[in-house]
Amino acid sequence: MPRAVAAAAVAGPTVAIDIGGTKIAGALVHPDGAMTAVTRRPTPRGTDAEGVMAAVTDVVAELARAPLWARAVRCGIGSAGPVDTSRGTVSPVNIGAWRDFPVQERVAAELSARGARIPAVLAGDGVAMTAAEHWLGAARGHANALCMVVSTGVGGGLILNNQLHPGPTGNAGHIGHISVAFDGERCACGGHGCVESLASGTAIARWALAQGWTGPDPTAAGVAASAAAGDPVALAAFDRAGRALAAAIAATATLVETDIAVIGGGVAASGDTLFAPIRRHLASYAALSFVRDLQVVPAALGTHAGLIGAAAAAMMLLPTA
């Protein structure tokens, strides 16, 4: 167990809040990773910023009724991004009502109002997933790791020397916006040839459709099903995505000497349809001796990664709370 997490393990439970485009969840996460008082609300649609915050407030209020609430020692907030942890704000792409919303301050106020005057920390969902996988998942035991979420977008985070490395604004490890195609198409971020524009679920489906693929389910999952059945266009779409991911993984490993890349998210659920081309292309991109043994493995925690990750990030970033 990393030193910071081990230090935290002598304390009480961590309040975990996981904020995403479809749900807002909460739990008390204990030092052994067990979760109690798990609750969730659908993320409100068609409302203003306060309407979304009301769902967060409901989650905190329900957690406050748990018998172990009084023993909580810290709070971790994991949120879809973009995030700015230096200011405690979020502007999630999938929560249109929140732009520069001061979620950390507002959650801290709700905690305090219910008797929990404890420190709170904000982490982007990619960083939270990284903390979770390093604590209890596929990156456990690795001092230097890259963890990624490949879904509608592509995000990630870094563990360096057994420490979570979120960076000054919480966006370090955002591998989705590394450029891997010098003359590539313009990305939504404003760059060109970004990994996300080539390897996200949206990008995979878009490219396959543009190449004439006509499967019944026009999503990355549909393309994956066709690829598993041997459809050549679908296979090419995943090969293209796998090559982009391999190039970015190799570049990251070369820069900071990570020895494992853990990949989760909806697209990773396609299994070897995605992982086989990543590993095949990685052999040509990770050529230097110190990155040749780089592992690429699927994430282990699945749907639990959000809450476990929010808690793990807090335990690593607020170890003495």
Side-chain angles (χ1 to χ4, degrees):
M1 186 182 293
R3 288 189 300 274
V5 176
V10 301
T14 298
V15 178
I17 308 291
D18 178 29
I19 299 169
T22 59
K23 74 176 187 314
I24 296 167
L28 296 181
V29 180
H30 300 271
D32 62 355
M35 294 192 298
T36 58
V38 180
T39 184
R40 66 176 61 197
R41 299 287 187 280
T43 303
R45 297 290 182 186
T47 186
D48 60 8
E50 292 304 320
V52 179
M53 185 62 207
V56 179
T57 299
D58 285 348
V59 166
V60 174
E62 186 161 336
L63 292 177
R65 291 193 283 271
L68 294 177
W69 173 258
R71 294 177 56 191
V73 294
R74 64 183 72 78
C75 175
I77 308 157
S79 177
V83 303
D84 184 345
T85 59
S86 67
R87 299 168 54 222
T89 61
V90 296
S91 302
V93 171
N94 50 10
I95 305 178
W98 276 6
R99 288 296 171 266
D100 294 320
F101 187 78
V103 67
Q104 183 172 322
E105 177 185 339
R106 294 293 300 275
V107 168
E110 293 297 332
L111 296 170
S112 181
R114 290 164 178 79
R117 293 174 177 83
I118 55 177
V121 69
L122 171 66
D125 50 6
V127 171
M129 174 264 192
T130 298
E133 291 293 333
H134 187 243
W135 181 25
L136 297 173
R140 187 172 187 174
H142 291 265
N144 300 288
L146 166 69
C147 297
M148 305 171 60
V149 179
V150 183
S151 186
T152 306
V154 178
L158 290 167
I159 296 288
L160 300 178
N161 194 27
N162 275 320
Q163 301 297 315
L164 188 63
H165 182 73
T169 66
N171 292 288
H174 202 337
I175 193 169
H177 296 288
I178 290 178
S179 178
V180 293
F182 181 73
D183 294 319
E185 65 181 83
R186 193 167 186 84
C187 177
C189 76
H192 289 270
C194 292
V195 175
E196 184 168 294
S197 69
L198 297 163
S200 69
T202 305
I204 290 169
R206 183 176 65 243
W207 188 86
L209 289 165
Q211 301 305 307
W213 175 74
T214 57
D217 176 10
T219 67
V223 179
S226 291
D231 181 277
V233 174
L235 284 166
F238 271 88
D239 185 75
R240 179 175 181 262
R243 184 178 181 185
L245 290 165
I249 291 167
T252 302
T254 302
L255 184 65
V256 294
E257 290 200 64
T258 52
D259 59 12
I260 190 170
V262 176
I263 305 178
V267 178
S270 61
D272 279 347
T273 299
L274 177 68
F275 284 91
I278 292 174
R279 291 170 179 144
R280 183 172 63 251
H281 287 295
L282 193 63
S284 61
Y285 285 111
L288 291 168
S289 60
F290 61 92
V291 292
R292 260 184 223 140
D293 295 329
L294 177 64
Q295 299 177 57
V296 178
V297 300
L301 297 179
T303 56
H304 297 299
L307 286 169
I308 293 291
M315 293 169 72
M316 297 182 81
L317 298 172
L318 299 170
T320 59

